[in-house]
Each structure stands twice: as structure tokens, then as C-alpha cells.
Amino acid sequence: VQLQASGGGSVQPGGSLTLSCTDSGFTVDYYVIAWFRQAPGKAREWVSCFNRGDGSTYYADSVKGRFTISRDNAKNTVYLQMNSLKPEDTAVYYCAAVISTFVTLTTMKTPDPYKYWSQGTQVTVSS
């Protein structure tokens, strides 16, 4: 399994960016794709999840109402639309994947269960 993340960049506060995560190599349909982020000197933080099996979505409180996660099955790509960006959203963003039977609603919000990771993509929000 491989994950390819893209779409980072620099924007001003209030701006928008869309991150993409394209996966390949899965032989099952029941897996979870998540976005995490890591700011300098801080722990990796869960941002959002998409459950490929049932289409359910989940968001961290810090991004709820501003970020939207979605998937284009034809392109095997999960998108993270980020609106109303704030300086505190500045971080390196990673997408990660795990077979859904290996996570619960609690553990899907932590990095440990995720077996597959993309390279990071930098998001900088600054005036």
C-alpha cells in the first residue's frame, strides 16, 4: 500500500487549501484514511478521518466546521478541504491508512494503529 499526499502551500489567514491523498495497493474496501498534522515541537495531532467502508467522516473539534473530508472513489483519492485557515493550522500534514477492523472510534484518532503513511505536505498560514 502506498499513500501520496499533495496540495500544501502558503496562505493568509482566512484562506483555503485542499489537500489530496491518493492510495494504491489496497485489496479490501474496509479501511480508514485519516489526516494528521504535526507542528514544530508538538506531537502529531489527529485532524479528520474517512471510513472507506461506510463513508462516515469524523473531525477534531479544532477543525470542525472549517475542514471537510471527502473521497473520489474513481480516483482513489481522499480530499481535505480546509477553509477559514488560521495560523494555528500551520503544520506538516500527513495522510495515513489502516484496515478498519484494526481501529475503534477512539483509537482511529491516534497515530499508533495506522500502518501506512504518506510523506508530509507543509501548510503555512501566515500574514
Side-chain angles (χ1 to χ4, degrees):
V1 173
Q2 291 187 327
L3 301 176
Q4 180 72 35
S6 61
S10 295
V11 295
Q12 294 186 340
S16 298
L17 282 173
T18 300
L19 305 183
S20 301
C21 176
T22 300
D23 65 80
S24 61
F26 276 108
T27 58
V28 297
D29 290 337
Y30 45 94
Y31 53 91
V32 172
I33 298 285
W35 286 98
F36 288 83
R37 65 188 181 186
Q38 190 164 20
K42 295 189 176 181
R44 193 162 294 192
E45 175 190 22
W46 172 73
V47 175
S48 182
C49 280
F50 180 92
N51 188 322
R52 173 70 174 85
D54 62 11
S56 54
T57 59
Y58 306 88
Y59 299 94
D61 288 343
S62 59
V63 306
K64 200 171 293 182
R66 300 188 297 122
F67 291 10
T68 302
I69 193 168
S70 62
R71 178 177 172 87
D72 183 334
N73 287 333
K75 297 182 178 179
N76 284 346
T77 299
V78 168
Y79 301 98
L80 186 68
Q81 173 69 43
M82 306 185 295
N83 298 327
S84 302
L85 283 162
K86 304 176 181 179
E88 51 263 44
D89 295 317
T90 295
V92 177
Y93 284 69
Y94 303 86
C95 63
V98 64
I99 302 298
S100 58
T101 53
F102 294 149
V103 289
T104 66
L105 288 177
T106 299
T107 62
M108 69 165 54
K109 302 173 184 178
T110 64
D112 289 345
Y114 290 86
K115 183 175 181 179
Y116 309 105
W117 289 85
S118 70
Q119 85 291 358
T121 185
Q122 176 71 45
V123 171
T124 302
V125 185
S126 174
S127 55

